[in-house]
Amino acid sequence: MLEAYVKDADMTINSAVSAIQHMTLLDKIQRDAIKPSFVRTDLSKLLYRTIDSRRYKWASSGVRINLHGERILKSTDGFFLEMIFGELLDNACRYRSKDVDVSIATAGNKTKFTVKDDGEGIEKDELSQVFDPYFRIAKHRARGRRAGLGLTTVKAITNKLDGEVKLDSNPNWGTEVQLVI
């Protein structure tokens, strides 16, 4: 019984730390106190490193994370992109996905990243709010300890990188997030 309490306390502390980190980052982005550093980055390696660093976290759930696409070198902020990819991968794995496909491709002078999962998806009437601060989909509000700042942070960072993020989802087929920078 004590073990369950310790595990619960640990999850609560980790969620609080994550929320504080997101709020701090969002505050710095909004105040323009943090700016992207555009350097030549191997985006394929960055994606692979991000995926590899997350595999341990979701291995027990049986989620398979697959990377597809070409090797792309681009001047961008690798730190910011790694934060975005980490958040998108964590979301894809957290909500009952078995397969998560990550792809990278050139789209003219832009780069397009796609994270697609086969998880539980989001109801259509909630899609317009997913990037709003503190928003959590109805079926997860009561059970989780998340703050609802992950996709808000993804959107803010994407805007800083002069990019665009789109999300489409359906409870019947999962969620797809497209990031174009």
Side-chain angles (χ1 to χ4, degrees):
M1 187 146 148
L2 179 61
E3 186 176 319
Y5 287 121
V6 170
K7 185 177 180 180
D8 188 54
D10 188 51
M11 288 174 54
T12 302
I13 291 166
N14 287 337
S15 293
V17 168
S18 177
I20 291 167
Q21 289 170 333
H22 277 90
M23 287 186 277
T24 302
L25 179 62
L26 285 167
D27 177 61
K28 288 180 179 180
I29 288 171
Q30 289 170 349
R31 289 186 295 111
D32 224 14
I34 186 171
K35 297 181 188 298
S37 175
F38 292 90
V39 296
R40 195 152 176 83
T41 305
D42 185 328
L43 298 176
S44 304
K45 280 186 181 179
L46 181 111
L47 270 174
Y48 181 79
R49 185 175 65 239
T50 307
I51 290 168
D52 197 48
S53 72
R54 296 268 188 301
R55 285 188 198 279
Y56 77 92
K57 189 174 183 178
W58 303 106
S60 63
S61 65
V63 176
R64 289 181 300 273
I65 303 173
N66 311 296
L67 176 60
H68 312 278
E70 56 194 274
R71 183 172 185 227
I72 298 174
L73 298 170
K74 184 176 183 93
S75 288
T76 190
D77 189 302
F79 174 75
F80 276 159
L81 278 180
E82 199 162 346
M83 289 180 73
I84 289 171
F85 297 143
E87 188 64 42
L88 295 178
L89 286 171
D90 284 349
N91 280 350
C93 294
R94 184 177 292 121
Y95 298 109
R96 294 186 176 81
S97 297
K98 290 300 173 198
D99 282 296
V100 177
D101 289 311
V102 180
S103 64
I104 178 174
T106 54
N109 63 343
K110 303 269 186 181
T111 304
K112 180 180 175 183
F113 303 93
T114 305
V115 177
K116 184 174 179 159
D117 67 58
D118 60 354
E120 41 185 67
I122 302 167
E123 297 292 337
K124 291 288 181 197
D125 63 332
E126 294 181 299
L127 284 177
S128 64
Q129 298 170 284
V130 296
F131 295 108
D132 293 350
Y134 310 107
F135 177 77
R136 298 197 59 234
I137 61 174
K139 62 185 166 187
H140 294 292
R141 285 184 197 135
R143 82 168 186 182
R145 292 179 171 86
R146 309 304 299 175
L149 292 171
L151 289 176
T152 304
T153 304
V154 166
K155 178 85 169 170
I157 293 171
T158 302
N159 290 343
K160 272 290 184 201
L161 297 175
D162 295 323
E164 182 179 4
V165 62
K166 296 178 186 175
L167 184 143
D168 193 19
S169 188
N170 187 304
N172 298 318
W173 55 260
T175 301
E176 180 176 307
V177 180
Q178 292 183 358
L179 172 70
V180 178
I181 59 165

